[in-house]
Amino acid sequence: MAQALKRSGASVTAVDTARYSEIFGQCWISLSACEINERELDDALNYLSNLPPVHGYFTETFCIESRFFQHHNGMRIDAIRNALEEQFRDSVLFPVLLTSLILASDRVDSTTAVHMAYLKKWSARSHKDLELRKPELLDGRGTTIRGNAIELAPQLGSFDFAYLDPPYNQHRYYTNYHIFETLVAWDAPEHYGIACKRIDSRDDTTKSDFNKKRQMPVALRATIQQLDARVLVLSYNNESWLTLTDLMDYCSSYECVVPLAFDSKRYVGAQIGIHSPAGVRVGEITHLRNVEYVVVAGPRETVRAMTEPYAHSSNEVLTASHAGALQRGELSLF
Ligand SMILES: C[S@@+](CC[C@H](N)C(=O)[O-])C[C@H]1O[C@@H](n2cnc3c(N)ncnc32)[C@H](O)[C@@H]1O
C-alpha cells in the first residue's frame, strides 16, 4: 500500500515495529530511485550472488537445527549477509541489497508462509537456488519510522490520507517472521523451540498491544483518534476480535464513515488445516472463505467518491454476512 501511494505521487510515511518493515521502507519509501547508481547496484548484486558459501549462524540454526532452508541456500545467505555487514553497512545500497536478500530467502524457504514451523518434507521451492533480484525502486519522497504506532500516532503530523492495517489476532509478526528479524538484526540470537525463535520473543518489549485481546480495542481506538488525517482507511476482517460496528464506532469523529466488505479466500493455514510441530493435523479445515473489511472515514464527498465503485458488490456481501446488524439498525448500507 505504501508503495502504491508513493507511486501515485504521494509523500509517504511508513510506520511499523518490525525490523524488516523498516528495511523495506528504507528501500522503497525513504529512498528515491534517482539516488541510486543502477550500474553500482547491478555490480553489487552480481558480486554478492557469486560469493563462496559459508557455514555460519544462519546455516547452523535454520538448516541444521531446524529445516527452514536447504543447506546450499543457507550457506549462501550466511555469506551474503556477512558481506552486507562488512562491506555495505554504510552504503546507500544497504537497504536495497538486504531487501533483495530477504525476498530471495522467502522464495526458497520450506514453510507455509510463516516462520512458526517448517514443513515435514522439503517444499518444492526450497530445492531451487537462492536468486538475488533487483528490487524495483521508486522515485519520490518518503519517511520510514520503526516504532509503536500507538505511541507515535499523536506525534506524526498532519496527513491527507492514513491507512491502518493492524494485526488481526494474537499471532505476532515478531515470531511469525522471526527469521527476517534475525536476517536484519544479524545478531546471532540465542533461540528456543523447534522453530528456533529468537529468545527476545519472550520480552515484553517485542510484544504489541494489537496482539492482546483485552488491550487491542483500546489501543486501536486511541491510535485512530490521535491520528491527524483528513481521510482514514482501516482494514480488518470478520474473524477477529472487533466487529464491523466497533470499527465504525472508533472512526465516529469523522463526518462520514462507510464500511466496505469483500468476500475473500482465507489465509493459507486455513486451507491446509492446523498441524502440530510433528506434522500431525490437530485442527480441521472448517471454512475456506471470510469477509475482509475496509472502513473509509472522512469528509462526506471524498468518502462517497472513494467508496462508490465498490458499493454494489460490498453491499451484497454485507447483506449476506450482517443481516442481523442491518435489521437492528446497527449498520446502514451506503
Ligand atoms: C496486518 S500487518 C500489516 C502489514 C502491512 N500492510 C505491510 O504490507 O507491511 C500488521 C503489521 O503491524 C505491525 N505492528 C504490530 N504492532 C504494531 C505497533 N504497535 N505499532 C506499529 N506496527 C505494529 C506488524 O509488525 C505488522 O507488520
Side-chain angles (χ1 to χ4, degrees):
M1 176 63 116
Q3 287 184 61
L5 289 167
K6 184 173 169 187
R7 214 171 266 131
S8 74
S11 167
V12 177
T13 298
V15 177
D16 200 295
T17 41
R19 289 182 178 91
Y20 53 86
S21 296
E22 184 181 32
I23 291 295
F24 293 161
Q26 289 170 352
C27 170
W28 282 303
I29 304 305
S30 310
L31 192 70
S32 186
C34 62
E35 292 171 55
I36 293 292
N37 179 322
E38 282 284 326
R39 176 83 189 274
E40 267 176 38
L41 177 55
D42 289 341
D43 287 350
L45 287 169
N46 194 27
Y47 166 72
L48 294 169
S49 300
N50 289 297
L51 285 172
V54 172
H55 185 125
Y57 174 89
F58 195 92
T59 310
E60 188 57 34
T61 311
F62 300 122
C63 308
I64 307 284
E65 293 181 43
S66 58
R67 283 162 40 106
F68 283 101
F69 297 90
Q70 301 236 5
H71 203 251
H72 65 283
N73 283 325
M75 288 180 51
R76 288 192 56 216
I77 292 171
D78 262 319
I80 295 169
R81 186 61 188 87
N82 282 341
L84 286 181
E85 201 61 26
E86 287 155 16
Q87 299 167 47
F88 292 90
R89 185 82 233 188
D90 300 324
S91 161
V92 68
L93 297 180
F94 182 79
V96 184
L97 299 171
L98 186 47
T99 293
S100 175
L101 178 61
I102 295 170
L103 299 183
S105 73
D106 194 44
R107 286 190 295 269
V108 295
D109 76 2
S110 191
T111 70
T112 58
V114 291
H115 305 156
M116 293 300 282
Y118 47 90
L119 298 172
K120 225 162 77 170
K121 280 200 208 142
W122 287 113
S123 69
R125 65 177 185 275
S126 72
H127 295 278
K128 294 189 177 159
D129 281 335
L130 183 91
E131 182 202 355
L132 293 181
R133 296 185 191 160
K134 187 157 64 168
E136 193 191 320
L137 301 177
L138 304 169
D139 265 322
R141 289 176 304 146
T143 306
T144 302
I145 302 173
R146 179 170 169 230
N148 183 349
I150 306 160
E151 288 163 10
L152 288 167
Q155 313 160 24
L156 289 172
S158 245
F159 295 94
D160 296 317
F161 177 88
Y163 170 59
L164 300 188
D165 187 13
Y168 293 76
N169 49 38
Q170 72 281 12
H171 299 300
R172 299 160 59 201
Y173 285 79
Y174 198 79
T175 44
N176 267 350
Y177 298 108
H178 65 92
I179 300 178
F180 293 163
E181 291 282 348
T182 295
L183 257 182
V184 176
W186 208 233
D187 54 353
E190 199 185 318
H191 53 81
Y192 67 97
I194 290 175
C196 296
K197 285 184 271 181
R198 299 172 58 87
I199 196 81
D200 63 6
S201 308
R202 291 175 169 158
D203 296 352
D204 278 347
T205 51
T206 66
K207 297 182 179 164
S208 169
D209 278 359
F210 290 137
N211 296 118
K212 300 174 189 162
K213 193 172 181 184
R214 287 196 48 201
Q215 277 93 327
M216 157 68 168
V218 182
L220 185 62
R221 180 195 285 268
T223 308
I224 291 172
Q225 292 181 348
Q226 293 181 347
L227 258 183
D228 178 1
R230 188 172 159 272
V231 173
L232 180 126
V233 170
L234 170 65
S235 51
Y236 208 63
N237 71 20
N238 70 331
E239 305 202 309
S240 309
W241 296 324
L242 301 172
T243 65
L244 184 55
T245 43
D246 290 331
L247 301 174
M248 294 178 68
D249 178 49
Y250 296 174
C251 298
S252 58
S253 61
Y254 286 88
E255 183 187 14
C256 176
V257 183
V258 168
L260 295 175
F262 302 90
D263 176 60
S264 162
K265 204 167 154 183
R266 291 180 83 214
Y267 68 100
V268 63
Q271 315 285 329
I272 57 178
I274 299 162
H275 293 75
S276 72
V280 178
R281 180 180 280 179
V282 290
E284 287 309 309
I285 302 171
T286 49
H287 54 290
L288 295 174
R289 302 197 72 81
N290 70 328
V291 178
E292 294 291 330
Y293 299 138
V294 176
V295 175
V296 185
R300 191 170 307 283
E301 283 315 307
T302 311
V303 172
R304 181 173 285 272
M306 287 172 69
T307 54
E308 216 155 31
Y310 311 100
H312 181 69
S313 59
S314 165
N315 285 351
E316 274 181 18
V317 177
L318 284 171
T319 309
S321 57
H322 287 72
L326 286 164
Q327 254 167 17
R328 291 190 297 275
E330 293 162 11
L331 192 65
S332 54
L333 296 184
F334 173 56

